[in-house]
């Protein structure tokens, strides 16, 4: 429905506070933080949007003499209105913007723990994460060393700590029956997600339990994937599927801090304490170093502050505030501000491609393969 602008000549056009425009190289996007939606529009309209927010509509429309430009303005207002992004107000001061801020009381908010040939002391790790007030933990097992009995033990150790949820990536064991995996996720409310990798075929298990007529009804899904994951090198992929749904909580964190590394700590398969298991820098081994000491080590927090607006190419991307980023694998290994290696999006063409086939990335791929921290590309694109 077209807006009757004659009724709003004395009004201001107000872009809803939870609808935040982000300019890209070719197209721009409005991030609707309440409905978790992205609304795209051509980049040439970005300045028009800024113009529309400067004064009363009557003054703005009267200042445009060219009919073609005036029609462009009217059409854009209709577009914004149809998408419920705007309203018309007499007093703009009654509609302040959302404060651009992000913080958490936790020193560390999330952690990654990898398991392969060494079974870590999870009681020790969780106790130390509790002191850091960590809320979310991802545990990734590349072998069968972390069996279901050990999983029960570690989840029990997470109880009565600051940890709110645990996400598990386990190697699929064909000896374990499907109902056993389902029972695991049913019996462990702290288990938020379970993925089984290195299976013969891809499928999905459903834990469907509780009373459908009451509030205690629960349905959880277990992903069984064929991707063979033997090390930390599978991570860092950026695709349309890995983008975050925009929300007030994550939008400003990603804008102001590093979307992947901010308030994160990890323990790699060998017990080394790092920002991310895929990174080289170690701040001690979990057997001899407390996590709190590692967090306070010189340089540990530096990468928390690498924002998307500082990263080459990413700073021109309309997705930059809904993308988690990766600093472990970059296109120019010697440049910490280089674009993530495993991103196939081109903000100058608005096209996604298979990043591993890009000839410009082959030198970086060869570097990481030589460093033995990366698997063959086809193993990372499941």
């Amino acid at each position: 429905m077209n807006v009757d602008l004659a009724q709003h000549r004395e009004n201001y056009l107000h872009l809803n506070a939870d609808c935040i425009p982000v300019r890209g190289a070719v197209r721009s996007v409005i991030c609707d933080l309440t409905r978790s939606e992205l609304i795209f529009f051509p980049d040439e309209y970005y300045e028009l949007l800024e113009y529309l927010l400067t004064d009363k509509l009557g003054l703005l429309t009267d200042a445009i003499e060219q009919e073609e430009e005036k029609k462009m303005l009217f059409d854009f207002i209709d577009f914004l209105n149809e998408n419920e992004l705007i309203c018309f107000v007499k007093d703009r001061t009654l509609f302040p913007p959302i404060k651009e801020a992000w913080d958490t009381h936790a020193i560390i908010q999330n952690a990654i723990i990898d398991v392969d040939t060494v079974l870590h002391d999870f009681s020790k790790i969780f106790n130390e994460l509790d002191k850091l007030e960590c809320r979310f933990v991802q545990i990734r097992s590349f072998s069968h060393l972390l069996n279901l009995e050990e999983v029960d033990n570690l989840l029990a150790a997470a109880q009565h700590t600051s940890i709110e949820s645990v996400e598990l990536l386990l190697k699929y064991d064909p000896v374990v029956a499907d109902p056993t995996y389902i029972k695991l996720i049913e019996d462990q409310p702290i288990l938020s997600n379970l993925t089984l990798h290195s299976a013969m075929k891809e499928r999905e298990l459903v834990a469907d339990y509780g009373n459908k007529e009451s509030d205690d009804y629960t349905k959880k899904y277990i992903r069984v994937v064929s991707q063979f994951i033997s090390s930390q090198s599978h991570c860092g992929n950026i695709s349309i599927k890995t983008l975050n749904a925009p929300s007030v909580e994550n939008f400003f964190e990603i804008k102001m801090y590093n979307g992947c590394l901010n308030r994160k700590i990890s323990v790699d398969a060998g017990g080394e304490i790092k920002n991310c298991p895929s990174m080289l820098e170690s701040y001690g081994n979990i057997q001899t170093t407390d996590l709190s000491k590692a967090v306070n080590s010189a340089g540990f927090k530096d990468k928390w502050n690498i924002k998307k607006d500082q990263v080459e190419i990413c700073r021109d991307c309309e997705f930059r505030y809904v993308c988690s980023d990766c600093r472990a694998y970059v296109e120019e290994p010697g440049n910490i501000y280089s674009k993530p290696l495993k991103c196939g999006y081109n903000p100058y063409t608005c096209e996604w491609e298979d990043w591993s086939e890009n000839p410009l990335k082959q030198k970086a791929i060869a570097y990481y393969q030589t460093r033995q921290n990366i698997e063959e590309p086809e193993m990372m694109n499941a």
Side-chain angles (χ1 to χ4, degrees):
M1 182 177 179
N2 293 343
V3 178
D4 184 359
L5 293 181
Q7 296 182 2
H8 298 292
R9 286 185 57 82
E10 295 302 314
N11 293 337
Y12 295 93
L13 183 146
H14 172 71
L15 183 65
N16 296 332
D18 58 352
C19 298
I20 301 180
V22 180
R23 190 169 197 173
V26 174
R27 66 177 176 179
S28 296
V29 63
I30 292 177
C31 296
D32 187 328
L33 307 187
T34 298
R35 291 183 290 194
S36 297
E37 295 178 352
L38 299 176
I39 299 93
F40 298 94
F41 61 96
D43 192 60
E44 57 263 29
Y45 283 86
Y46 191 92
E47 291 181 1
L48 180 58
L49 177 60
E50 291 182 321
Y51 175 74
L52 284 169
L53 301 176
T54 58
D55 212 331
K56 292 181 179 180
L57 279 172
L59 293 174
L60 295 177
T61 55
D62 290 347
I64 299 177
E65 297 179 356
Q66 297 291 332
E67 287 302 317
E68 184 177 344
E69 293 181 2
K70 190 168 291 191
K71 183 179 184 306
M72 183 178 175
L73 181 143
F74 292 163
D75 289 345
F76 189 50
I77 292 175
D78 288 337
F79 166 80
L80 296 172
N81 186 60
E82 288 168 5
N83 283 277
E84 300 178 316
L85 303 173
I86 58 172
C87 58
F88 303 95
V89 302
K90 291 198 175 293
D91 187 352
R92 290 184 296 184
T93 63
L94 299 177
F95 302 88
I98 295 176
K99 183 179 179 181
E100 190 171 298
W102 182 91
D103 199 4
T104 177
H105 65 274
I107 300 171
I108 292 292
Q109 68 170 346
N110 64 90
I112 298 177
I113 306 168
D114 284 351
V115 176
D116 192 4
T117 60
V118 177
L119 191 60
H120 306 304
D121 184 344
F122 280 96
S123 293
K124 176 182 185 295
I125 292 174
F126 289 156
N127 284 334
E128 293 182 15
L129 288 176
D130 182 55
K131 295 176 184 177
L132 296 168
E133 301 180 89
C134 179
R135 297 170 57 196
F136 310 109
V137 177
Q138 182 186 58
I139 299 170
R140 310 184 302 192
S141 180
F142 309 125
S143 69
H144 289 129
L145 182 63
L146 192 60
N147 56 40
L148 293 190
E149 181 180 356
E150 295 295 344
V151 168
D152 281 331
N153 292 335
L154 74 86
L155 291 177
Q159 301 292 333
H160 309 297
T161 69
S162 61
I163 298 169
E164 298 176 8
S165 68
V166 176
E167 181 179 341
L168 274 179
L169 176 70
L170 298 179
K171 186 172 185 179
Y172 177 73
D173 188 346
V175 176
V176 178
D178 288 354
T180 304
Y181 285 120
I182 292 173
K183 189 174 187 305
L184 170 66
I185 203 166
E186 288 177 349
D187 293 345
Q188 298 286 355
I190 198 172
L191 190 56
S192 62
N193 183 279
L194 175 59
T195 300
L196 307 172
H197 67 86
S198 305
M200 291 296 292
K201 63 179 182 178
E202 306 225 343
R203 54 201 179 93
E204 190 174 67
L205 305 179
V206 182
D208 190 355
Y209 55 96
N211 185 348
K212 292 185 178 181
E213 306 302 322
S214 66
D215 292 337
D216 65 353
Y217 177 65
T218 303
K219 179 180 280 190
K220 291 184 178 181
Y221 298 91
I222 302 171
R223 290 180 60 231
V224 183
V225 300
S226 59
Q227 182 183 14
F228 178 70
I229 302 175
S230 62
S231 74
Q232 77 284 352
S233 61
H234 79 283
C235 74
N237 288 295
I238 295 174
S239 69
I240 193 71
K241 294 180 180 180
T242 65
L243 298 177
N244 296 284
S247 68
V248 173
E249 183 175 2
N250 65 37
F251 180 89
F252 290 112
E253 180 183 10
I254 293 174
K255 184 176 182 180
M256 300 174 69
Y257 300 95
N258 188 268
C260 180
L261 300 177
N262 184 43
R263 305 291 181 102
K264 173 177 284 182
I265 197 169
S266 71
V267 179
D268 75 5
E272 298 301 312
I273 304 170
K274 302 178 177 181
N275 291 113
C276 162
S278 294
M279 304 190 91
L280 290 180
E281 299 91 341
S282 172
Y283 298 89
N285 192 283
I286 192 61
Q287 294 185 9
T288 56
T289 305
D290 289 342
L291 295 179
S292 295
K293 181 179 180 181
V295 169
N296 291 311
S297 298
F300 185 87
K301 300 177 183 177
D302 290 352
K303 295 181 180 64
W304 293 4
N305 298 309
I306 298 177
K307 297 176 283 191
K308 278 292 190 180
D309 287 329
Q310 297 173 300
V311 177
E312 296 171 3
I313 300 178
C314 294
R315 59 188 173 217
D316 296 329
C317 180
E318 67 271 27
F319 292 119
R320 61 187 179 274
Y321 302 143
V322 295
C323 180
S324 64
D325 194 46
C326 176
R327 294 297 91 202
Y329 304 114
V330 294
E331 289 187 348
E332 299 175 35
N335 179 7
I336 194 60
Y337 297 104
S338 179
K339 177 187 175 181
L341 173 66
K342 302 182 189 181
C343 175
Y345 185 66
N346 185 339
Y348 309 110
T349 63
C350 299
E351 295 177 341
W352 290 89
E353 64 177 11
D354 183 350
W355 66 268
S356 65
E357 299 297 324
N358 188 328
L360 300 177
K361 294 179 182 272
Q362 298 310 306
K363 185 176 180 180
I365 291 173
Y367 166 81
Y368 288 113
Q369 287 175 336
T370 302
R371 204 180 78 177
Q372 296 182 342
N373 265 358
I374 197 168
E375 296 174 0
E376 291 300 317
E378 60 266 27
M379 293 183 180
M380 296 181 293
N381 288 335

